[in-house]
Amino acid sequence: MSWILLITTLPTQHTAVRQRTWRALKAAGAATLRDGGYLLPAQPAGEAAFGAIAADLQQSGGHAQMLRAQPPEGTDFTPLFNRAAAWKTLQADVRAVAAALAPGKGQLAPEAALRESRKLRRRYAALAAIDYLPQGEAAATVEQALQALEQATQPEQPAVS
């Protein structure tokens, strides 16, 4: 498997640039190899993300270089991109909202549950976007639970006579 490596030097005086870069790297799902060295699988989404980060850094007085990298024999970077724990956390959060909405629980009003389901859907989309090397059925399981929650939060339609 080939990888994209982003090597950065951040401007020292611009805290906002450092924060913006850090947030963009996190949103892209980049693995940190060391200070200033970030890694993504060589896929179009990763190339686009690193390209945008590099351009922003260079416009802000920093430096960035993007390289394609082939790891030496026996080196495995795939564990850096294992999102199983994030999927498990998201699934637990979906279940918690569903449980709070369940009849007899009364812990969560339908409107609040609808807002929470929309937040969970955004988290799902963000996680799916950075799950470059999916393992197992975690995303499908969360998707099913989220669909059930979304269906449960839909306002009931009045019966038509």
Side-chain angles (χ1 to χ4, degrees):
M1 168 173 249
S2 64
W3 301 89
I4 306 167
L5 179 64
L6 179 67
I7 302 168
T8 64
T9 304
L10 301 173
T12 56
Q13 286 97 7
H14 300 291
T15 305
V17 173
R18 290 196 306 273
Q19 276 292 348
R20 192 171 57 238
T21 301
W22 179 82
R23 286 183 182 133
L25 289 164
K26 184 176 179 184
T32 303
L33 296 178
R34 60 176 311 257
D35 289 345
Y38 304 93
L39 187 72
L40 283 174
Q43 297 177 359
E47 289 181 26
F50 274 180
I53 293 167
D56 182 52
L57 265 175
Q58 290 168 345
Q59 286 179 335
S60 302
H63 300 282
Q65 295 177 329
M66 256 177 44
L67 308 166
R68 282 197 174 264
Q70 198 66 27
E73 190 73 30
T75 303
D76 184 16
F77 291 124
T78 57
L80 297 172
F81 297 93
N82 184 339
R83 308 289 187 218
W87 284 118
K88 189 174 182 177
T89 299
L90 182 55
Q91 183 176 19
D93 292 348
V94 170
R95 285 183 177 159
V97 172
L101 184 65
K105 296 286 184 181
Q107 298 171 342
L108 196 59
E111 301 82 23
L114 180 60
R115 281 192 304 275
E116 289 302 313
S117 73
R118 289 177 180 155
K119 288 179 190 174
L120 291 166
R121 175 56 72 183
R122 286 190 297 273
R123 283 179 50 199
Y124 173 88
L127 182 55
I130 63 167
D131 194 7
Y132 299 105
L133 309 170
Q135 300 169 352
E137 297 295 318
T141 302
V142 173
E143 172 65 27
Q144 290 171 350
L146 193 51
Q147 283 180 359
L149 174 62
E150 289 167 340
Q151 194 170 37
T153 61
Q154 294 303 311
E156 292 189 26
Q157 300 295 323
V160 178
S161 307

